[in-house]
Amino acid sequence: MSPTPPLFSLPEARTRFTKSTREALNNKNIKPLLSTFSQLPGSENEKKCTLDQAFRGVLEEEIINHSSCENVLAIISLAIGGVTEGICTASTPFVLLGDVLDCLPLDQCDTIFTFVEKNVATWKSNTFYSAGKNYLLRMCNDLLRRLSKSQNTVFCGRIQLFLARLFPLSEKSGLNLQSQFNLENVTVFNTNEQESTLGQKHTEDREEGMDVEEGEMGDDEAPTTCSIPIDYNLYRKFWSLQDYFRNPVQCYEKISWKTFLKYSEEVLAVFKSYKLDDTQASRKKMEELKTGGEHVYFAKFLTSEKLMDLQLSDSNFRRHILLQYLILFQYLKGQVKFKSSNYVLTDEQSLWIEDTTKSVYQLLSENPPDGERFSKMVEHILNTEENWNSWKNEGCPSFHRTSDTKPTRVVRKRTAPEDFLGKGPNKKILMGNEELTRLWNLCPDNMEACKSETREYMPTLEEFFEEAIEQADPENMVENEYKAVNNSNYGWRALRLLARRSPHFFQPTNQQFKSLPEYLENMVIKLAKELPPPSEEIKTGEDEDEEDNDALLKENESPDVRRDKPVTGEQIEVFANKLGERWKVLAPYLEMKDSEIRQIECDSEDMKMRAKQLLVAWQDQEGVHATPENLINALNKSGLNDLAESLTNDNETNS
């Protein structure tokens, strides 16, 4: 008998792996780990899991002993080598990175993250990417929660840039697919006029003079007063605009738009009236560049009243505000997939935005330094942004094109014999079977055969519902069980036909139907009012006499009686074409709710179809009271007197 192979022992394996890890760290070589891995008994999976635990144990000791970042990074580098050699799991380096960043203070996290940034090519390789992308994303999000956006701005930016380099552009987890806004980005400023110091500022300057702190002005600079007259109203209106830049959807509301319009015109008027001089505006910045002065950036606006005059005199600050206007205007005019259908600009708003956009570009070009160049660059970038919006509207398809590396195979066509392909106008095409040959030669041109009118299998509404309309008439006394609407096969075909050819199918209604036959019976009654009467049988002499009597009675009817009759489907069709895009003006006077109007807008883009749906909904709502007289009254109330007069004339002509 062969000797039994030794069994795997977890404590022994862990001890040996820990010792080998220490040895590998001292030698800066992974060979001790490879040797131990090959010598230990047990399955490969068992040994991998044990080595993962050994790595975490050694790392824990280093962190407790407050070792340097170099020792910590050396352990992670060993883990990366172990993954490459296949002796530990692919997620181990990311687990170790997460442990380190959770335990170390932020200043040391900066050093660790520099290592993460340098190895972005490693993380993107096939060995690591699928196993580690979620770990890296979670690790970066945890870091961002710990960092302050105002104090650690650069570190936050590095993390965002790393994620942008790590994930492909089409990675949907990093995209704002639904175009949501960061509503938490609130700009705080003084909203209490009683606490404002702007009204007292110039008086105090004249009487007592202004104390200048060291470092605020150069030795050669004399204190100058601001040429821009600033009061609390300008301060309040200026900073109130940030709320519209934060949440542009407010601009679609009527009252909010008026406020935005008023504040914008006043602020832009100040920018136009008090332009910056090229030399004065950039003098301080040029001196800083020459002396290597450090620029300080802030993640949030400083909204102190004392800084208002300095901010309005700063060219970079003006550029920030003007650029915010351009970004806002682009969103309001753009086609965004997830934007609500109610968010539509009026013609007046569109015209104002177009004129103001030109004014903003003009102000940018006049703003020093290099205003003309900066303005053109911004315009180019915003035009490119339209491609980004289009890509998001299309569902963010991948940018990677699948290249067809397979060589194109030359296909040799088999030559058909002369007796197979017909030659000349009178020769048949033989299909090898007598019946197939007959069918094919009925129309040899396939496209013409498909366009033939005989292939139109869908019946008209009149043909299909003729029997059901007759059965719905109480005079015919057809019992319910024998009606066609109770046939499930008939009901299924009726629904398909209504969906294709009747506007009633998509019309919203408050009625609730318990069964399909009940719904179809309701639809049949509506269609009976619109469709012409079914073809009549050969009339007898008595029928002709009755019709003559009816005609005499109709001739003697007064116009008022005729106008009291409900409108017909033909009248609705004709009048809808005339009403067209003015249907929305008439809708409130036909007692249509806002929800019904929005539903009509969503159902169709065609104005004539919307007008027809409005009239059909009104007819359903009013029933026998849906008369031309009531429609004419509604038209007069809505100010559509020309259409009211036209409908009156048509009604009299038809009578």
Side-chain angles (χ1 to χ4, degrees):
M1 292 178 65
S2 60
T4 306
L7 297 175
F8 175 78
S9 172
L10 177 62
E12 180 189 351
R14 185 168 181 176
T15 304
R16 291 185 62 180
F17 272 134
T18 302
K19 183 179 178 181
S20 299
T21 303
R22 291 288 183 190
E23 187 179 347
L25 283 174
N26 294 331
N27 298 336
K28 297 182 180 179
N29 196 316
I30 200 174
K31 287 183 179 179
L33 284 172
L34 293 173
S35 175
T36 304
F37 191 88
S38 60
Q39 293 172 7
L40 282 172
S43 67
E44 189 172 323
N45 191 34
E46 289 174 333
K47 291 188 283 186
K48 280 185 177 182
C49 292
T50 308
L51 181 55
D52 294 344
Q53 292 180 15
F55 274 133
R56 295 190 76 180
V58 173
L59 182 67
E60 182 184 355
E61 292 176 8
E62 294 292 331
I63 293 173
I64 292 173
N65 296 330
H66 301 286
S67 299
S68 63
C69 290
E70 287 73 15
N71 289 348
V72 171
L73 293 176
I75 298 172
I76 297 172
S77 298
L78 273 180
I80 294 174
V83 174
T84 308
E85 296 292 339
I87 61 174
C88 66
T89 55
S91 61
T92 303
F94 307 106
V95 173
L96 298 179
L97 279 171
D99 292 344
V100 170
L101 292 173
D102 285 342
C103 298
L104 296 182
L106 286 176
D107 56 340
Q108 292 183 2
C109 286
D110 195 330
T111 307
I112 301 297
F113 192 76
T114 303
F115 172 82
V116 176
E117 287 177 305
K118 289 179 180 178
N119 285 279
V120 67
T122 303
W123 314 138
K124 292 178 72 173
S125 63
N126 294 333
T127 308
F128 292 92
Y129 183 73
S130 58
K133 62 178 183 178
N134 290 332
Y135 284 100
L136 288 171
L137 181 60
R138 191 182 305 116
M139 179 186 74
C140 290
N141 286 333
D142 290 342
L143 262 180
L144 287 171
R145 290 189 194 99
R146 291 172 62 189
L147 295 170
S148 167
K149 290 183 180 178
S150 57
Q151 296 179 11
N152 308 107
T153 310
V154 176
F155 198 175
C156 291
R158 285 170 57 197
I159 294 173
Q160 298 288 3
L161 285 173
F162 167 74
L163 291 173
R165 292 169 60 197
L166 176 67
F167 291 102
L169 194 59
S170 55
E171 175 66 36
K172 295 190 178 181
S173 63
L175 295 172
N176 183 11
L177 291 175
Q178 296 185 2
S179 302
Q180 295 174 341
F181 302 103
N182 181 16
L183 300 181
E184 296 177 1
N185 182 25
V186 179
T187 302
V188 181
F189 60 96
N190 181 21
T191 56
N192 189 353
E193 188 174 3
Q194 304 299 325
E195 299 175 1
S196 174
T197 59
L198 285 173
Q200 310 162 4
K201 185 175 179 181
H202 295 294
T203 307
E204 292 173 359
D205 292 347
R206 285 196 300 270
E207 293 178 356
E208 301 176 6
M210 183 185 295
D211 294 333
V212 180
E213 294 183 8
E214 184 181 355
E216 282 190 349
M217 296 185 180
D219 296 336
D220 300 332
E221 292 182 15
T224 58
T225 58
C226 177
S227 59
I228 303 176
I230 299 173
D231 57 5
Y232 177 75
N233 280 333
L234 177 61
Y235 169 82
R236 178 179 60 83
K237 291 173 183 177
F238 181 86
W239 289 117
S240 295
L241 288 172
Q242 290 300 318
D243 194 50
Y244 294 93
F245 298 144
R246 176 183 68 96
N247 186 15
V249 173
Q250 298 177 82
C251 293
Y252 291 107
E253 299 171 5
K254 191 174 182 181
I255 298 175
S256 298
W257 171 258
K258 287 183 179 179
T259 307
F260 171 74
L261 190 67
K262 180 183 176 183
Y263 291 0
S264 296
E265 287 177 346
E266 292 189 27
V267 170
L268 293 175
V270 170
F271 283 6
K272 290 176 185 176
S273 303
Y274 299 93
K275 296 178 181 176
L276 301 180
D277 185 11
D278 197 350
T279 54
Q280 291 179 359
S282 59
R283 180 174 56 187
K284 191 173 181 180
K285 292 180 177 57
M286 294 301 291
E287 289 176 359
E288 286 180 358
L289 290 173
K290 289 177 183 177
T291 58
E294 184 180 355
H295 290 269
V296 180
Y297 296 97
F298 294 96
K300 296 283 291 180
F301 287 118
L302 302 177
T303 58
S304 172
E305 296 176 351
K306 298 177 182 179
L307 297 173
M308 190 70 185
D309 54 351
L310 296 174
Q311 288 170 325
L312 293 181
S313 302
D314 184 80
S315 60
N316 270 344
F317 183 79
R318 286 199 180 194
R319 279 178 175 172
H320 280 302
I321 302 302
L322 294 173
L323 190 55
Q324 282 181 310
Y325 270 110
L326 294 176
I327 294 171
L328 171 67
F329 292 161
Q330 186 178 46
Y331 173 78
L332 294 177
K333 295 187 298 182
Q335 298 294 327
V336 181
K337 182 178 180 181
F338 290 94
K339 193 188 289 187
S340 173
S341 58
N342 299 329
Y343 296 158
V344 180
L345 294 172
T346 63
D347 294 338
E348 184 181 353
Q349 288 174 322
S350 301
L351 187 61
W352 184 86
I353 288 176
E354 187 176 347
D355 294 340
T356 310
T357 302
K358 294 177 183 177
S359 302
V360 171
Y361 276 120
Q362 182 64 29
L363 287 170
L364 277 175
S365 62
E366 295 171 355
N367 192 56
D370 295 329
E372 190 73 33
R373 182 163 165 260
F374 182 81
S375 175
K376 289 181 179 178
M377 182 176 64
V378 168
E379 187 174 6
H380 173 72
I381 291 172
L382 291 178
N383 288 336
T384 308
E385 190 75 8
E386 292 294 338
N387 298 328
W388 176 263
N389 289 337
S390 301
W391 176 69
K392 287 177 70 176
N393 289 339
E394 292 167 5
C396 306
S398 175
F399 283 96
H400 295 287
R401 294 181 180 176
T402 54
S403 57
D404 190 8
T405 55
K406 294 181 181 179
T408 55
R409 185 179 176 184
V410 180
V411 181
R412 294 178 59 191
K413 289 187 177 181
R414 184 178 177 184
T415 54
E418 289 295 323
D419 61 342
F420 179 77
L421 290 177
K423 299 291 183 180
N426 298 322
K427 190 168 183 179
K428 286 184 177 181
I429 297 177
L430 303 177
M431 301 299 294
N433 179 284
E434 184 178 350
E435 186 61 20
L436 284 176
T437 301
R438 183 187 70 79
L439 291 172
W440 185 271
N441 286 278
L442 289 176
C443 186
D445 190 333
N446 284 344
M447 290 304 296
E448 289 299 322
C450 292
K451 294 176 184 177
S452 174
E453 294 181 0
T454 58
R455 292 182 59 83
E456 181 62 49
Y457 301 121
M458 187 181 296
T460 62
L461 289 172
E462 293 91 334
E463 294 172 354
F464 187 82
F465 285 101
E466 183 176 1
E467 180 185 0
I469 290 172
E470 288 180 1
Q471 292 175 349
D473 190 349
E475 294 181 359
N476 293 330
M477 294 185 293
V478 178
E479 296 181 10
N480 282 334
E481 58 181 322
Y482 298 111
K483 288 184 178 180
V485 293
N486 291 317
N487 186 328
S488 58
N489 187 16
Y490 181 89
W492 179 78
R493 287 183 291 138
L495 285 178
R496 291 189 55 133
L497 183 62
L498 287 169
R500 293 291 299 273
R501 296 202 166 173
S502 174
H504 290 294
F505 186 79
F506 297 103
Q507 189 67 37
T509 177
N510 294 327
Q511 290 180 270
Q512 299 201 0
F513 303 101
K514 295 181 180 178
S515 62
L516 177 60
E518 186 182 348
Y519 168 75
L520 287 177
E521 204 160 344
N522 180 269
M523 296 298 290
V524 165
I525 294 171
K526 290 181 182 178
L527 291 171
K529 297 175 183 177
E530 293 182 4
L531 301 177
S535 56
E536 299 177 359
E537 303 295 333
I538 300 173
K539 299 180 179 62
T540 61
E542 293 179 0
D543 293 337
E544 290 177 357
D545 292 340
E546 288 179 4
E547 286 188 359
D548 292 340
N549 293 334
D550 291 340
L552 288 172
L553 288 172
K554 286 181 181 177
E555 288 176 4
N556 294 330
E557 278 181 356
S558 65
D560 293 335
V561 173
R562 296 187 198 116
R563 285 197 292 186
D564 286 341
K565 292 183 178 180
V567 292
T568 63
E570 185 180 354
Q571 286 176 314
I572 287 177
E573 188 76 37
V574 173
F575 185 67
N577 293 333
K578 294 181 180 180
L579 182 59
E581 58 187 16
R582 290 189 284 178
W583 69 273
K584 207 168 180 180
V585 179
L586 177 62
Y589 296 92
L590 294 180
E591 298 181 359
M592 288 290 141
K593 299 176 183 176
D594 291 342
S595 58
E596 294 174 329
I597 295 173
R598 286 195 296 270
Q599 184 66 38
I600 291 173
E601 287 178 324
C602 295
D603 287 345
S604 176
E605 295 291 334
D606 184 35
M607 291 299 174
K608 292 181 180 178
M609 179 55 73
R610 288 180 178 179
K612 183 177 178 181
Q613 287 185 342
L614 171 69
L615 295 172
V616 170
W618 169 71
Q619 185 186 37
D620 292 344
Q621 181 177 296
E622 297 297 322
V624 294
H625 299 292
T627 61
E629 180 66 27
N630 291 337
L631 184 56
I632 291 168
N633 291 338
L635 288 167
N636 286 324
K637 290 178 183 177
S638 63
L640 303 175
N641 299 326
D642 55 332
L643 290 175
E645 186 176 350
S646 173
L647 181 60
T648 304
N649 295 336
D650 291 346
N651 198 38
E652 290 175 356
T653 304
N654 293 335
S655 301

